[in-house]
Coordinates of all heavy atoms in Angstrom, one line a residue:
R187 N -7.2 -22.8 134.0 CA -8.3 -22.4 133.1 C -8.1 -23.0 131.8 O -7.0 -23.0 131.2 CB -8.6 -21.0 133.1 CG -7.5 -20.2 132.5 CD -7.8 -18.6 132.6 NE -6.6 -18.0 132.0 CZ -6.6 -16.8 131.6 NH1 -7.6 -16.0 131.9 NH2 -5.6 -16.3 131.0
T188 N -9.1 -23.4 131.1 CA -9.1 -24.0 129.8 C -9.0 -22.9 128.7 O -9.9 -21.9 128.8 CB -10.3 -24.9 129.5 OG1 -10.2 -26.0 130.5 CG2 -10.1 -25.6 128.1
Q189 N -8.1 -23.0 127.8 CA -8.0 -22.0 126.7 C -7.9 -22.7 125.4 O -7.3 -23.8 125.3 CB -6.8 -21.1 127.0 CG -6.9 -20.3 128.3 CD -5.6 -19.6 128.5 OE1 -5.3 -18.6 127.8 NE2 -4.9 -20.0 129.5
S190 N -8.3 -22.1 124.3 CA -8.2 -22.7 123.0 C -7.7 -21.7 122.0 O -7.9 -20.5 122.1 CB -9.7 -23.1 122.5 OG -10.2 -24.1 123.5
V191 N -7.1 -22.2 120.9 CA -6.6 -21.4 119.8 C -6.8 -22.2 118.5 O -6.7 -23.4 118.6 CB -5.1 -21.0 120.1 CG1 -4.3 -22.2 120.2 CG2 -4.7 -20.1 119.0
A192 N -7.0 -21.5 117.4 CA -7.0 -22.1 116.1 C -6.4 -21.2 115.0 O -6.5 -20.0 115.2 CB -8.5 -22.4 115.7
V193 N -5.7 -21.9 114.1 CA -5.1 -21.1 113.0 C -5.5 -21.8 111.7 O -5.6 -23.1 111.7 CB -3.6 -21.0 113.1 CG1 -3.3 -20.1 114.4 CG2 -2.9 -22.3 113.3
R194 N -5.5 -21.1 110.6 CA -5.6 -21.7 109.3 C -5.0 -20.8 108.3 O -4.8 -19.6 108.6 CB -7.1 -22.0 108.9 CG -7.9 -20.7 108.7 CD -9.3 -21.1 108.3 NE -10.1 -19.8 108.2 CZ -11.3 -19.8 108.0 NH1 -12.0 -20.8 107.9 NH2 -11.9 -18.6 108.0
G195 N -4.5 -21.3 107.2 CA -3.8 -20.5 106.3 C -3.4 -21.3 105.0 O -3.9 -22.4 104.9
K196 N -2.6 -20.7 104.2 CA -2.2 -21.3 103.0 C -0.7 -21.0 102.8 O -0.3 -19.8 102.8 CB -3.0 -20.8 101.8 CG -2.7 -21.5 100.5 CD -3.7 -21.1 99.5 CE -3.5 -22.0 98.2 NZ -4.5 -21.7 97.2
L197 N 0.1 -22.0 102.7 CA 1.5 -21.8 102.6 C 1.9 -21.8 101.1 O 1.4 -22.5 100.3 CB 2.3 -23.1 103.2 CG 2.1 -23.2 104.7 CD1 2.8 -24.5 105.1 CD2 2.5 -22.0 105.5
M198 N 2.8 -20.9 100.8 CA 3.3 -20.7 99.4 C 4.8 -20.7 99.5 O 5.5 -20.2 100.4 CB 2.8 -19.3 98.9 CG 1.3 -19.1 99.0 SD 0.4 -20.1 97.8 CE 0.8 -19.4 96.2
C199 N 5.3 -21.2 98.4 CA 6.8 -21.2 98.1 C 7.0 -20.4 96.9 O 6.6 -20.9 95.8 CB 7.4 -22.5 98.0 SG 9.2 -22.5 97.7
N200 N 7.4 -19.1 97.0 CA 7.4 -18.2 95.9 C 6.0 -18.0 95.4 O 5.2 -17.7 96.2 CB 8.4 -18.7 94.7 CG 9.8 -18.7 95.2 OD1 10.2 -17.8 95.8 ND2 10.6 -19.7 94.8
D201 N 5.7 -18.3 94.2 CA 4.3 -18.2 93.7 C 3.5 -19.4 93.6 O 2.4 -19.5 93.0 CB 4.3 -17.5 92.3 CG 4.8 -16.1 92.4 OD1 4.7 -15.4 93.5 OD2 5.3 -15.6 91.4
K202 N 4.0 -20.5 94.2 CA 3.4 -21.8 94.0 C 2.9 -22.3 95.5 O 3.6 -22.1 96.4 CB 4.3 -22.8 93.4 CG 4.7 -22.4 92.0 CD 5.6 -23.4 91.4 CE 5.9 -23.0 90.0 NZ 7.0 -23.6 89.4
P203 N 1.8 -23.1 95.5 CA 1.4 -23.6 96.8 C 2.5 -24.6 97.4 O 3.2 -25.3 96.6 CB 0.2 -24.5 96.4 CG -0.3 -23.9 95.2 CD 0.9 -23.4 94.5
A204 N 2.7 -24.6 98.7 CA 3.6 -25.4 99.4 C 2.8 -26.6 100.0 O 2.3 -26.4 101.1 CB 4.4 -24.7 100.4
G205 N 2.7 -27.6 99.3 CA 1.9 -28.8 99.8 C 2.8 -29.8 100.6 O 4.1 -29.8 100.4
H206 N 2.2 -30.6 101.4 CA 2.8 -31.6 102.2 C 4.0 -31.0 103.1 O 5.0 -31.6 103.2 CB 3.3 -32.7 101.3 CG 2.2 -33.2 100.4 ND1 1.2 -33.9 100.8 CD2 2.1 -32.9 99.0 CE1 0.4 -34.1 99.7 NE2 0.9 -33.6 98.7
V207 N 3.7 -29.9 103.7 CA 4.7 -29.2 104.6 C 4.2 -29.5 106.1 O 3.0 -29.3 106.4 CB 4.7 -27.7 104.4 CG1 5.6 -27.0 105.4 CG2 5.2 -27.5 103.0
K208 N 5.1 -30.0 106.9 CA 4.8 -30.3 108.3 C 4.6 -28.9 109.1 O 5.4 -28.1 109.0 CB 5.9 -31.1 109.0 CG 5.5 -31.4 110.4 CD 6.6 -32.4 111.0 CE 6.3 -33.7 110.5 NZ 6.4 -34.8 111.4
I209 N 3.6 -28.9 109.9 CA 3.3 -27.7 110.7 C 2.9 -28.2 112.1 O 2.1 -29.1 112.2 CB 2.1 -26.9 110.2 CG1 2.3 -26.6 108.7 CG2 1.9 -25.6 111.0 CD1 1.1 -26.2 107.9
K210 N 3.4 -27.5 113.2 CA 3.1 -27.9 114.5 C 2.7 -26.6 115.3 O 3.4 -25.6 115.0 CB 4.3 -28.6 115.2 CG 4.6 -29.9 114.7 CD 5.7 -30.5 115.4 CE 6.1 -31.9 114.8 NZ 7.2 -32.5 115.6
M211 N 1.8 -26.7 116.2 CA 1.4 -25.5 117.0 C 1.7 -25.9 118.5 O 1.3 -27.0 119.0 CB -0.1 -25.3 116.8 CG -0.5 -24.0 117.6 SD -2.2 -23.3 117.2 CE -3.2 -24.8 117.5
Y212 N 2.4 -24.9 119.1 CA 2.8 -25.1 120.5 C 2.3 -23.9 121.4 O 2.1 -22.8 120.8 CB 4.3 -25.1 120.5 CG 5.1 -26.2 120.0 CD1 5.5 -26.2 118.6 CD2 5.3 -27.4 120.7 CE1 6.1 -27.3 118.1 CE2 6.0 -28.4 120.2 CZ 6.4 -28.4 118.8 OH 7.1 -29.5 118.3
D213 N 2.2 -24.2 122.6 CA 2.1 -23.1 123.6 C 3.6 -22.9 124.2 O 4.1 -23.8 124.8 CB 1.2 -23.5 124.8 CG 1.2 -22.5 125.9 OD1 1.5 -21.3 125.6 OD2 1.0 -22.8 127.1
E214 N 4.1 -21.8 123.8 CA 5.5 -21.6 124.2 C 5.6 -21.3 125.7 O 4.9 -20.5 126.3 CB 6.1 -20.4 123.5 CG 7.6 -20.2 123.8 CD 8.2 -19.1 122.9 OE1 7.9 -18.0 123.2 OE2 9.1 -19.5 122.1
D215 N 6.6 -22.0 126.3 CA 6.9 -21.8 127.8 C 7.8 -20.6 127.9 O 9.1 -20.8 127.5 CB 7.4 -23.0 128.4 CG 7.8 -22.8 129.9 OD1 7.0 -22.1 130.6 OD2 8.7 -23.4 130.4
S216 N 7.4 -19.5 128.3 CA 8.3 -18.3 128.4 C 9.4 -18.4 129.5 O 10.3 -17.7 129.4 CB 7.4 -17.1 128.6 OG 6.7 -17.2 129.8
R217 N 9.2 -19.3 130.4 CA 10.1 -19.4 131.5 C 11.4 -20.3 131.1 O 12.4 -20.2 131.8 CB 9.5 -20.1 132.8 CG 8.4 -19.2 133.3 CD 7.6 -19.9 134.3 NE 6.9 -20.9 133.6 CZ 6.0 -21.8 134.1 NH1 5.7 -21.7 135.4 NH2 5.3 -22.6 133.3
K218 N 11.3 -20.9 130.0 CA 12.4 -21.8 129.4 C 12.8 -22.9 130.3 O 13.8 -23.5 130.2 CB 13.6 -20.9 129.1 CG 13.3 -19.8 128.2 CD 12.9 -20.3 126.9 CE 12.6 -19.1 125.9 NZ 11.9 -19.4 124.8
L219 N 12.0 -23.1 131.5 CA 12.3 -24.2 132.4 C 11.6 -25.5 132.0 O 12.0 -26.6 132.3 CB 11.8 -23.9 133.8 CG 12.5 -22.6 134.4 CD1 11.8 -22.3 135.8 CD2 14.0 -22.9 134.5
L220 N 10.5 -25.4 131.2 CA 9.7 -26.5 130.8 C 9.7 -26.6 129.2 O 10.1 -25.7 128.6 CB 8.2 -26.4 131.3 CG 8.1 -26.2 132.8 CD1 6.7 -25.9 133.1 CD2 8.5 -27.5 133.4
Y221 N 9.3 -27.7 128.7 CA 9.1 -27.9 127.3 C 7.9 -27.2 126.9 O 6.9 -27.1 127.6 CB 9.1 -29.3 126.9 CG 10.4 -30.0 127.1 CD1 10.5 -30.9 128.2 CD2 11.5 -29.9 126.3 CE1 11.7 -31.6 128.4 CE2 12.7 -30.6 126.4 CZ 12.7 -31.4 127.5 OH 13.9 -32.1 127.8
D222 N 7.9 -26.7 125.6 CA 6.6 -26.1 125.0 C 5.6 -27.3 124.9 O 6.0 -28.4 124.5 CB 7.0 -25.5 123.6 CG 7.9 -24.3 123.7 OD1 8.0 -23.7 124.8 OD2 8.5 -24.0 122.7
D223 N 4.4 -26.9 125.1 CA 3.2 -27.9 125.0 C 2.8 -28.0 123.5 O 2.4 -27.0 122.9 CB 2.1 -27.5 125.9 CG 2.4 -27.5 127.4 OD1 3.2 -28.3 127.8 OD2 1.9 -26.6 128.1
L224 N 2.9 -29.2 123.0 CA 2.3 -29.4 121.7 C 0.8 -29.3 121.6 O 0.2 -30.1 122.4 CB 2.8 -30.7 121.1 CG 2.3 -31.1 119.7 CD1 2.9 -30.1 118.7 CD2 2.7 -32.5 119.3
L225 N 0.2 -28.4 120.9 CA -1.3 -28.3 120.9 C -1.9 -29.0 119.7 O -3.0 -29.6 119.9 CB -1.6 -26.8 120.8 CG -1.2 -25.9 122.0 CD1 -1.5 -24.5 121.7 CD2 -1.8 -26.4 123.3
D226 N -1.2 -29.1 118.6 CA -1.7 -29.8 117.4 C -0.6 -29.8 116.3 O 0.4 -29.1 116.5 CB -2.9 -29.0 116.8 CG -3.8 -29.8 115.8 OD1 -3.5 -31.1 115.8 OD2 -4.7 -29.3 115.2
S227 N -0.7 -30.8 115.4 CA 0.2 -30.8 114.3 C -0.5 -31.4 113.1 O -1.6 -32.0 113.2 CB 1.4 -31.7 114.7 OG 1.0 -33.1 114.9
G228 N 0.1 -31.1 111.9 CA -0.5 -31.6 110.8 C 0.4 -31.3 109.6 O 1.5 -30.9 109.7
E229 N -0.2 -31.3 108.3 CA 0.5 -31.1 107.2 C -0.4 -30.3 106.2 O -1.6 -30.6 106.1 CB 0.8 -32.5 106.6 CG 1.8 -32.5 105.4 CD 2.2 -33.9 105.0 OE1 3.1 -34.5 105.5 OE2 1.5 -34.4 104.1
S230 N 0.2 -29.5 105.4 CA -0.5 -28.7 104.4 C -1.0 -29.6 103.3 O -0.4 -30.7 103.0 CB 0.3 -27.6 103.8 OG 1.4 -28.0 103.2
T231 N -2.2 -29.3 102.8 CA -2.7 -30.1 101.6 C -1.9 -29.8 100.4 O -1.0 -28.9 100.4 CB -4.2 -29.8 101.4 OG1 -4.3 -28.4 101.1 CG2 -5.0 -30.1 102.7
A232 N -2.2 -30.4 99.3 CA -1.5 -30.2 98.1 C -1.6 -28.7 97.5 O -0.7 -28.2 96.9 CB -2.1 -31.1 97.0
D233 N -2.7 -28.1 98.0 CA -2.8 -26.7 97.5 C -2.3 -25.7 98.6 O -2.4 -24.5 98.5 CB -4.3 -26.3 97.2 CG -5.1 -26.2 98.4 OD1 -4.8 -26.5 99.5 OD2 -6.3 -25.7 98.3
G234 N -1.5 -26.2 99.6 CA -0.8 -25.4 100.6 C -1.8 -25.0 101.8 O -1.3 -24.4 102.8
S235 N -3.0 -25.4 101.8 CA -3.9 -25.0 102.9 C -3.7 -25.9 104.1 O -3.3 -27.0 104.1 CB -5.4 -25.3 102.5 OG -5.7 -24.5 101.4
F236 N -3.9 -25.3 105.3 CA -3.8 -26.0 106.6 C -4.7 -25.5 107.6 O -5.1 -24.3 107.5 CB -2.3 -26.0 107.1 CG -1.9 -24.6 107.6 CD1 -2.0 -24.3 109.0 CD2 -1.3 -23.7 106.7 CE1 -1.7 -23.0 109.4 CE2 -1.0 -22.4 107.2 CZ -1.1 -22.1 108.5
S237 N -5.0 -26.2 108.6 CA -5.8 -25.8 109.7 C -5.4 -26.6 111.0 O -5.3 -27.8 111.0 CB -7.3 -26.1 109.4 OG -8.0 -25.7 110.5
L238 N -5.1 -25.8 112.1 CA -4.7 -26.4 113.3 C -5.5 -25.8 114.4 O -5.9 -24.6 114.4 CB -3.2 -26.2 113.7 CG -2.2 -26.8 112.7 CD1 -0.8 -26.3 113.1 CD2 -2.2 -28.3 112.5
A239 N -5.9 -26.6 115.5 CA -6.6 -26.1 116.6 C -6.1 -26.9 117.9 O -5.8 -28.1 117.8 CB -8.1 -26.4 116.4
G240 N -6.1 -26.3 119.0 CA -5.7 -26.9 120.2 C -6.3 -26.2 121.5 O -6.7 -25.1 121.4
T241 N -6.2 -27.0 122.5 CA -6.8 -26.6 123.8 C -5.8 -26.9 124.9 O -5.1 -28.0 124.8 CB -8.1 -27.3 124.1 OG1 -9.0 -26.9 123.1 CG2 -8.7 -26.9 125.4
D242 N -5.6 -26.1 125.9 CA -4.7 -26.5 127.0 C -5.3 -25.8 128.3 O -6.0 -24.8 128.2 CB -3.3 -25.9 126.7 CG -2.2 -26.7 127.6 OD1 -2.6 -27.6 128.3 OD2 -1.1 -26.2 127.5
N243 N -4.9 -26.4 129.4 CA -5.3 -25.8 130.7 C -4.0 -25.1 131.2 O -3.0 -25.7 131.5 CB -5.7 -26.9 131.7 CG -7.0 -27.5 131.3 OD1 -7.9 -26.8 131.0 ND2 -7.0 -28.8 131.3
E244 N -4.1 -23.8 131.4 CA -2.9 -23.0 131.8 C -3.4 -21.9 132.8 O -4.5 -21.4 132.7 CB -2.3 -22.3 130.7 CG -1.5 -23.2 129.7 CD -0.1 -23.5 130.3 OE1 0.4 -22.8 131.1 OE2 0.3 -24.6 129.9
I245 N -2.7 -21.6 133.8 CA -2.9 -20.5 134.7 C -2.8 -19.2 134.0 O -3.6 -18.3 134.1 CB -2.1 -20.6 136.0 CG1 -2.5 -21.8 136.7 CG2 -2.3 -19.4 136.8 CD1 -1.6 -22.2 137.9
T246 N -1.7 -19.1 133.3 CA -1.4 -17.8 132.5 C -2.0 -18.0 131.1 O -2.3 -19.1 130.7 CB 0.1 -17.6 132.4 OG1 0.7 -18.7 131.8 CG2 0.8 -17.4 133.8
R247 N -2.0 -17.0 130.4 CA -2.5 -16.9 129.0 C -1.6 -17.7 128.1 O -0.4 -17.7 128.2 CB -2.6 -15.5 128.5 CG -3.3 -15.4 127.1 CD -3.7 -13.9 126.9 NE -4.6 -13.8 125.8 CZ -5.9 -13.8 125.9 NH1 -6.5 -14.1 127.0 NH2 -6.7 -13.7 124.7
L248 N -2.2 -18.5 127.1 CA -1.5 -19.2 126.2 C -0.7 -18.3 125.4 O -1.1 -17.1 125.1 CB -2.4 -20.0 125.2 CG -3.2 -21.2 125.8 CD1 -4.1 -21.8 124.6 CD2 -2.2 -22.2 126.3
D249 N 0.5 -18.7 125.0 CA 1.4 -18.0 124.1 C 1.7 -18.8 122.8 O 2.7 -19.5 122.7 CB 2.6 -17.6 124.8 CG 3.5 -16.6 124.0 OD1 3.0 -16.0 123.1 OD2 4.7 -16.5 124.3
P250 N 0.6 -19.0 121.9 CA 0.8 -20.0 120.9 C 1.7 -19.5 119.7 O 1.8 -18.4 119.4 CB -0.6 -20.1 120.4 CG -1.4 -18.9 120.7 CD -0.7 -18.3 122.0
K251 N 2.4 -20.5 119.2 CA 3.2 -20.3 118.0 C 3.0 -21.5 117.0 O 2.7 -22.6 117.5 CB 4.6 -20.1 118.3 CG 5.3 -21.4 118.9 CD 6.8 -21.1 119.1 CE 7.5 -22.4 119.6 NZ 8.9 -22.1 119.9
I252 N 3.2 -21.3 115.8 CA 3.2 -22.4 114.9 C 4.7 -22.5 114.3 O 5.4 -21.5 114.0 CB 2.3 -22.3 113.7 CG1 2.4 -21.0 112.9 CG2 0.8 -22.4 114.2 CD1 1.5 -21.0 111.6
N253 N 5.2 -23.7 114.2 CA 6.4 -24.0 113.5 C 6.1 -24.6 112.2 O 5.4 -25.6 112.1 CB 7.3 -24.9 114.4 CG 7.8 -24.3 115.6 OD1 7.8 -23.0 115.8 ND2 8.3 -25.1 116.6
I254 N 6.8 -24.1 111.2 CA 6.6 -24.6 109.8 C 8.0 -25.2 109.4 O 9.0 -24.5 109.4 CB 6.2 -23.5 108.9 CG1 4.9 -22.8 109.3 CG2 6.1 -23.9 107.4 CD1 4.6 -21.5 108.7
Y255 N 8.0 -26.4 109.1 CA 9.2 -27.2 108.7 C 9.2 -27.4 107.2 O 8.4 -28.1 106.7 CB 9.3 -28.5 109.4 CG 9.2 -28.4 110.9 CD1 7.9 -28.4 111.6 CD2 10.3 -28.2 111.6 CE1 7.8 -28.2 112.9 CE2 10.2 -28.1 113.0 CZ 9.0 -28.1 113.6 OH 8.9 -27.9 115.1
H256 N 10.1 -26.7 106.5 CA 10.0 -26.7 105.0 C 11.4 -26.8 104.3 O 12.4 -26.7 104.9 CB 9.4 -25.3 104.6 CG 10.2 -24.2 104.9 ND1 11.1 -23.6 104.0 CD2 10.4 -23.4 106.0 CE1 11.7 -22.6 104.6 NE2 11.4 -22.5 105.8
D257 N 11.3 -27.0 103.0 CA 12.5 -27.0 102.2 C 12.4 -26.0 101.0 O 13.1 -26.1 100.0 CB 12.5 -28.5 101.5 CG 12.8 -29.6 102.5 OD1 13.8 -29.4 103.3 OD2 12.1 -30.6 102.4
C258 N 11.6 -25.0 101.1 CA 11.5 -24.0 100.1 C 12.7 -23.2 99.9 O 13.3 -22.7 100.9 CB 10.3 -23.0 100.5 SG 10.0 -21.7 99.3
D259 N 13.2 -23.3 98.7 CA 14.4 -22.5 98.3 C 15.6 -22.9 99.1 O 16.5 -21.9 99.3 CB 14.1 -21.0 98.3 CG 13.3 -20.5 97.2 OD1 13.1 -21.2 96.2 OD2 12.6 -19.5 97.4
D260 N 15.8 -24.1 99.5 CA 17.0 -24.4 100.3 C 18.0 -25.2 99.4 O 19.0 -25.7 100.0 CB 16.7 -25.1 101.6 CG 16.1 -26.5 101.4 OD1 15.9 -26.9 100.2 OD2 15.9 -27.1 102.4
G261 N 17.8 -25.2 98.1 CA 18.8 -26.0 97.3 C 19.0 -27.4 97.7 O 18.0 -28.1 97.8
I262 N 20.3 -27.8 97.9 CA 20.5 -29.2 98.3 C 20.7 -29.4 99.8 O 21.3 -30.4 100.3 CB 21.7 -29.8 97.5 CG1 22.9 -28.9 97.9 CG2 21.3 -29.8 96.0 CD1 24.2 -29.6 97.3
T263 N 20.3 -28.4 100.6 CA 20.4 -28.5 102.1 C 19.7 -29.7 102.5 O 18.5 -29.9 102.3 CB 19.9 -27.3 102.8 OG1 20.5 -26.2 102.3 CG2 20.1 -27.4 104.2
P264 N 20.4 -30.7 103.3 CA 19.7 -31.9 103.6 C 18.6 -31.9 104.6 O 17.7 -32.8 104.7 CB 20.9 -32.7 104.1 CG 21.9 -31.7 104.7 CD 21.7 -30.6 103.8
C265 N 18.6 -30.9 105.5 CA 17.6 -30.8 106.6 C 16.6 -29.8 106.3 O 16.9 -28.8 105.6 CB 18.3 -30.6 107.9 SG 19.4 -31.9 108.4
Q266 N 15.4 -29.9 106.9 CA 14.4 -28.9 106.8 C 14.7 -27.7 107.6 O 15.3 -27.9 108.7 CB 13.0 -29.4 107.1 CG 12.5 -30.5 106.1 CD 11.1 -30.9 106.4 OE1 10.8 -31.2 107.5 NE2 10.4 -31.1 105.3
R267 N 14.3 -26.5 107.1 CA 14.4 -25.3 108.0 C 13.1 -25.1 108.8 O 12.1 -25.6 108.3 CB 14.7 -24.1 107.1 CG 16.0 -24.2 106.4 CD 16.3 -23.0 105.6 NE 15.5 -23.1 104.4 CZ 15.2 -22.2 103.6 NH1 15.6 -21.0 103.8 NH2 14.4 -22.3 102.4
R268 N 13.2 -24.4 109.8 CA 12.0 -24.1 110.7 C 11.8 -22.6 110.8 O 12.7 -21.8 111.0 CB 12.2 -24.7 112.1 CG 10.9 -24.5 113.0 CD 11.2 -24.9 114.4 NE 12.1 -23.9 115.0 CZ 12.8 -24.1 116.1 NH1 12.8 -25.3 116.7 NH2 13.5 -23.1 116.6
I269 N 10.5 -22.3 110.6 CA 10.1 -20.9 110.8 C 9.1 -20.9 111.9 O 8.1 -21.7 111.9 CB 9.4 -20.3 109.5 CG1 10.5 -20.2 108.4 CG2 8.9 -18.9 109.8 CD1 9.9 -19.7 107.1
S270 N 9.2 -20.0 112.9 CA 8.2 -19.9 114.0 C 7.4 -18.6 113.8 O 8.0 -17.5 113.5 CB 8.9 -19.9 115.3 OG 9.6 -21.1 115.6
V271 N 6.1 -18.7 113.9 CA 5.2 -17.6 113.8 C 4.3 -17.5 115.0 O 3.7 -18.6 115.3 CB 4.4 -17.7 112.5 CG1 3.4 -16.5 112.3 CG2 5.2 -17.8 111.3
F272 N 4.4 -16.5 115.7 CA 3.5 -16.3 116.9 C 2.2 -15.9 116.5 O 2.0 -15.1 115.7 CB 4.2 -15.4 117.9 CG 5.3 -16.0 118.6 CD1 6.6 -15.8 118.1 CD2 5.2 -16.7 119.8 CE1 7.7 -16.4 118.8 CE2 6.2 -17.3 120.5 CZ 7.5 -17.1 119.9
V273 N 1.1 -16.5 117.2 CA -0.2 -16.2 117.0 C -0.7 -15.1 117.9 O -0.4 -15.2 119.1 CB -1.1 -17.5 117.2 CG1 -2.6 -17.3 117.0 CG2 -0.6 -18.7 116.4
P274 N -1.3 -14.0 117.4 CA -1.7 -12.9 118.2 C -2.7 -13.4 119.3 O -3.5 -14.3 119.2 CB -2.4 -12.0 117.3 CG -1.8 -12.3 116.0 CD -1.5 -13.8 116.0
S275 N -2.6 -12.8 120.5 CA -3.4 -13.2 121.7 C -4.9 -13.0 121.5 O -5.7 -13.7 122.1 CB -2.9 -12.5 122.9 OG -3.1 -11.1 122.8
K276 N -5.3 -12.2 120.5 CA -6.7 -12.1 120.3 C -7.4 -13.3 119.7 O -8.6 -13.4 119.7 CB -6.9 -10.9 119.3 CG -6.5 -11.0 117.9 CD -6.8 -9.8 117.1 CE -6.4 -9.9 115.6 NZ -6.6 -8.8 114.9
Y277 N -6.5 -14.3 119.3 CA -7.1 -15.5 118.7 C -7.2 -16.6 119.8 O -7.5 -17.8 119.5 CB -6.3 -16.0 117.6 CG -6.4 -15.0 116.4 CD1 -5.3 -14.1 116.1 CD2 -7.5 -14.9 115.7 CE1 -5.4 -13.2 115.0 CE2 -7.7 -14.0 114.7 CZ -6.6 -13.2 114.3 OH -6.7 -12.3 113.3
V278 N -6.8 -16.3 121.0 CA -6.9 -17.3 122.2 C -8.2 -16.9 122.9 O -8.5 -15.8 123.2 CB -5.7 -17.1 123.1 CG1 -5.9 -18.0 124.4 CG2 -4.4 -17.4 122.4
T279 N -9.0 -18.0 123.1 CA -10.3 -17.9 123.7 C -10.4 -18.7 125.0 O -9.7 -19.7 125.2 CB -11.4 -18.3 122.8 OG1 -11.3 -19.7 122.5 CG2 -11.4 -17.5 121.5
K280 N -11.3 -18.3 125.8 CA -11.6 -19.1 127.0 C -12.4 -20.4 126.6 O -13.3 -20.3 125.8 CB -12.3 -18.3 128.1 CG -11.6 -17.2 128.6 CD -12.4 -16.4 129.6 CE -11.6 -15.2 130.1 NZ -12.4 -14.3 131.0
G281 N -12.1 -21.5 127.3 CA -12.9 -22.7 127.0 C -12.4 -23.5 125.9 O -11.5 -23.3 125.3

């Protein structure tokens, strides 16, 4: 069955907008046997705003999450950190 999900928000680093931050939305595979399905990806705008939307065909309910790849407050750490935020199931729709 076809299911859809959409998220939007504004990223902040301390009290300032976090612009040009990479964001990806996945359907997490709870069985850990398969890879998570990438539903959408993008980057926050200069003011920190972002919007992602995706659709997938799944027998079970989508379990969407967004991964935010950032450098906020990491000093001189060379790699970006990742934060995962799960999207509540009430935002998953049929079709």
Side-chain angles (χ1 to χ4, degrees):
R187 65 183 182 168
T188 303
Q189 300 173 67
S190 300
V191 61
V193 296
R194 68 179 176 187
K196 187 169 187 174
L197 299 178
M198 303 291 287
C199 180
N200 297 318
D201 292 334
K202 297 181 180 164
H206 310 290
V207 174
K208 181 177 281 224
I209 306 161
K210 295 182 180 183
M211 183 167 56
Y212 292 92
D213 173 29
E214 184 177 68
D215 179 35
S216 60
R217 295 169 290 185
K218 305 296 180 198
L219 299 174
L220 302 172
Y221 292 106
D222 295 341
D223 297 326
L224 179 64
L225 300 175
D226 196 9
S227 64
E229 190 175 274
S230 62
T231 61
D233 74 348
S235 298
F236 70 93
S237 179
L238 300 175
T241 301
D242 200 6
N243 293 312
E244 289 282 333
I245 295 171
T246 60
R247 188 165 190 88
L248 288 181
D249 190 15
K251 69 176 180 181
I252 58 171
N253 287 345
I254 302 166
Y255 303 89
H256 66 95
D257 291 313
C258 181
D259 288 337
D260 70 355
I262 60 170
T263 304
C265 297
Q266 291 185 319
R267 292 181 287 162
R268 181 186 75 200
I269 295 175
S270 294
V271 179
F272 285 89
V273 179
S275 61
K276 68 181 181 179
Y277 296 106
V278 176
T279 62
K280 294 179 183 176

